[in-house]
Amino acid sequence: MSVRHLTATAAAALLLAAAPATPALAAAAPSAQPQDTTFLKAAHQGNLAEIASGQDAQRNATTACVKKVGQTLVRDHTRLDQQARQLAERLGVTLPGTPTPAQQQALASVRAKAGSRAYDEAWTRLQAQAHQHTLRLIDRELASGGNDEVRSAAKAARPVIARHLDMVR
């Protein structure tokens, strides 16, 4: 056996001895605090509700403006939700599969006015309320969230949500 081969074997043995005993210890996922978990779940449900609402506006609104805002909501909330889902997966947070019952009921109430001017007015009111609520959730996460990645995601989402609120006002 050559000196070079012996040196490489010894170095490999030292690296293995210094490595954690199990792969799980080496790749432990960062943890999410209860506030972070609550935020990720609420953000995901909000994104699902906004995507559904935006799609509904594209089908049922009477004005081009509301249809265009609906299209923007679908695009932006799809992107935000993809990022939230990836982060939740990394942190081991299980996300709900649907918007909250209240969000579903609110959209159904607006949908009942489909094809009328009342739809467009009710839809923009609902969006203003939803985006104001989301901004409060984001601000709470920024103030008291425990995970830097979740706070960073909330910080990045804030201007998008604020822009949506401006659009529907």
Side-chain angles (χ1 to χ4, degrees), residues 34-52 73-74 76-88 91 93-100 103 127 130-142 149-158 160-161 164:
Q35 167 65 27
D36 304 317
T37 298
T38 300
F39 173 76
L40 285 170
K41 288 178 179 182
H44 173 64
Q45 287 182 298
N47 286 328
L48 293 178
E50 296 308 324
I51 292 165
L73 294 185
V74 170
D76 292 351
H77 284 280
T78 298
R79 183 181 48 80
L80 289 172
D81 196 54
Q82 179 182 11
Q83 294 166 351
R85 283 185 284 117
Q86 289 171 348
L87 180 54
L91 297 176
V93 175
T94 301
L95 298 175
T98 61
T100 67
Q103 290 166 329
Q127 293 314 304
H131 285 82
Q132 288 168 340
H133 174 74
T134 300
L135 286 173
R136 287 191 299 272
L137 287 172
I138 288 171
D139 290 342
R140 189 172 24 229
E141 176 61 23
L142 292 174
E149 283 185 279
V150 179
R151 281 198 321 271
S152 178
K155 184 177 180 179
R158 195 178 197 298
V160 176
I161 302 304
H164 291 174

Side-chain angles (χ1 to χ4, degrees), residues 113 118-130 132 168:
K113 300 171 175 70
Y119 174 92
D120 292 22
E121 292 170 4
W123 188 87
T124 55
R125 270 195 313 277
L126 175 61
Q127 293 314 304
Q129 292 167 354
Q132 288 168 340
V168 298

Side-chain angles (χ1 to χ4, degrees), residues 11-36:
L14 283 173
L15 286 173
L16 287 174
T22 64
L25 291 176
S31 64
Q33 303 294 321
Q35 167 65 27
D36 304 317

Side-chain angles (χ1 to χ4, degrees), residues 4-18:
R4 183 197 277 156
H5 188 278
L6 252 150
T7 305
T9 303
L14 283 173
L15 286 173
L16 287 174

